[in-house]
Amino acid sequence: MGDLYILNTRCQLTDTIKETFEKAGFKVKVSTDSGVSDENLKGAKGFTAICIFVNKCIKPEQVEILKENGNKLILHCSAGFDNSPTEELKAAGISAARVPSYSPGSIAEYAVTQIMALAKNTHMSYVMTKKADFEITNMQCLLLENKTCGVIGTGLIGKKCAMKISGLVEKVLCFDVYPDNEWIKTIPNASYADMDTVLRNSDFISIHVPLLPQTHHLINEEAFAKMKNDVVLVNTSRGEIVHIPSLIKALEAKKLWGVALDVFEGEKKYIFHDKSKAGFRDDPDLARLAQFEHVILSSHIAFYTDQAVDQITAKTIENYMGFVGKGTKDEKAFIC
């Protein structure tokens, strides 16, 4: 009946993936509803593959619908794949593929940008001067060149972040369970250290670890207690890495200079949607977080650059072509 059913990503990816697949001669349908309701998934009946982005989540109990649909493949147009039930898909004989890497520099640049924005009070100045308020009493900034930046996780994105920030700060301290001792030599002012050392000695901390059982709520009350006063924290990895109640407690104690979260726990119902009418009324912790002047919340947009969209689209159709036997199958991109 068809090749690809796209669960509307609510971003440019929907259009670029649809156009690319159709140009290659494949039949594509985009869901009218952007959610992942049972009814929406039933719209994929007869399609070989379903395309899903990070703002969508297929539940284990919905795999039965995919089986009845005759779907054979879940195409994640993202590196992460925790938003589909791998074991249940595997048991149902449904394959899943992802985009292992796309423009790590995009996310790294965003992390560095947020460090700069918070250190230089750019976000505050923007809001104030729009109202003709040019008062500077509370606008003193942080100098970067005599500071230390901690980078937690040195995969492709973490490495890019360390490289980009190294020219702005005095020292870069990196932590990774599997340190790349050859790569670290390419950055003169960078070195690996244990997690405690990174937390205790960093003025800026950027998080770049995957979501695993051992990284869930990695940044918790204990971690905040180890950090320096007036630290800047940036998370562009996965929301569940930072424990929100512990973060609020640290902010209320004026432990942090500022926080930028491009990802946050419970984000899926917010990202890529206009929730301004309802606000955070169902999420008191997020409502409290949003009240702090030096907290920047963004809508999972660190990845969202021209290069990233092009690379995600190219890898998504490559994965499909490999699956249907019209191209080389990249086994590393297939989860099951």
Side-chain angles (χ1 to χ4, degrees), residues 1-5 41 44-52 58 62-76 84-86 88-98 319-320 322-325 329 334-336:
M1 181 180 172
D3 297 287
L4 183 66
Y5 183 78
L41 286 177
K45 189 173 182 65
F47 282 82
T48 303
I50 294 176
C51 186
I52 183 173
I58 296 175
Q62 292 178 313
V63 172
E64 193 60 37
I65 297 173
L66 307 185
K67 284 175 64 178
E68 291 173 5
N69 285 347
N71 306 133
K72 303 297 182 187
L73 173 66
I74 301 297
L75 284 171
H76 288 271
S84 73
T86 304
E88 286 81 0
L89 289 173
K90 192 183 298 184
I94 299 172
S95 297
R98 67 188 184 111
N319 285 341
Y320 185 77
F323 180 77
V324 297
K329 186 178 181 182
F334 278 76
I335 308 145
C336 63

Side-chain angles (χ1 to χ4, degrees), residues 135-149:
E135 174 65 55
I136 68 165
T137 305
N138 298 315
M139 295 295 286
Q140 182 173 307
C141 303
L142 296 176
L143 181 71
L144 274 74
E145 67 179 30
N146 63 349
K147 302 293 193 300
T148 297
C149 182

Side-chain angles (χ1 to χ4, degrees), residues 82 209-220 238 240-241:
D82 54 311
V209 294
L211 179 59
L212 302 167
Q214 55 267 43
T215 61
H216 185 265
H217 291 165
L218 177 70
I219 306 301
N220 52 23
R238 284 291 180 267
E240 292 83 357
I241 306 297

Side-chain angles (χ1 to χ4, degrees), residues 197-317:
T197 299
V198 172
L199 293 175
R200 294 182 190 281
N201 292 280
S202 298
D203 301 287
F204 313 106
I205 297 174
S206 191
I207 303 169
H208 302 284
V209 294
L211 179 59
L212 302 167
Q214 55 267 43
T215 61
H216 185 265
H217 291 165
L218 177 70
I219 306 301
N220 52 23
E221 191 168 345
E222 183 182 354
F224 283 116
K226 293 174 182 176
M227 294 179 191
K228 297 172 72 172
N229 290 331
D230 287 336
V231 65
V232 171
L233 178 69
V234 175
N235 186 16
T236 56
S237 58
R238 284 291 180 267
E240 292 83 357
I241 306 297
V242 178
H243 184 238
I244 298 297
S246 298
L247 172 58
I248 291 171
K249 188 175 180 180
L251 285 163
E252 289 176 338
K254 300 189 184 303
K255 176 80 174 182
L256 293 93
W257 177 275
V259 181
L261 303 178
D262 187 50
V263 291
F264 49 90
E265 198 159 18
E267 68 179 25
K268 280 189 170 54
K269 67 179 177 182
Y270 294 102
I271 57 173
F272 309 167
H273 292 279
D274 180 358
K275 295 286 187 178
S276 55
K277 289 183 179 178
F280 295 112
R281 65 187 178 197
D282 297 325
D283 293 286
D285 282 349
L286 288 178
R288 179 69 184 106
L289 201 57
Q291 290 174 349
F292 292 99
E293 288 184 333
H294 290 287
V295 171
I296 301 175
L297 297 176
S298 52
S299 189
H300 208 120
I301 58 171
F303 85 97
Y304 200 26
T305 63
D306 48 357
Q307 186 187 68
V309 169
D310 288 346
Q311 291 181 355
I312 291 169
T313 300
K315 188 61 180 177
T316 301
I317 193 167

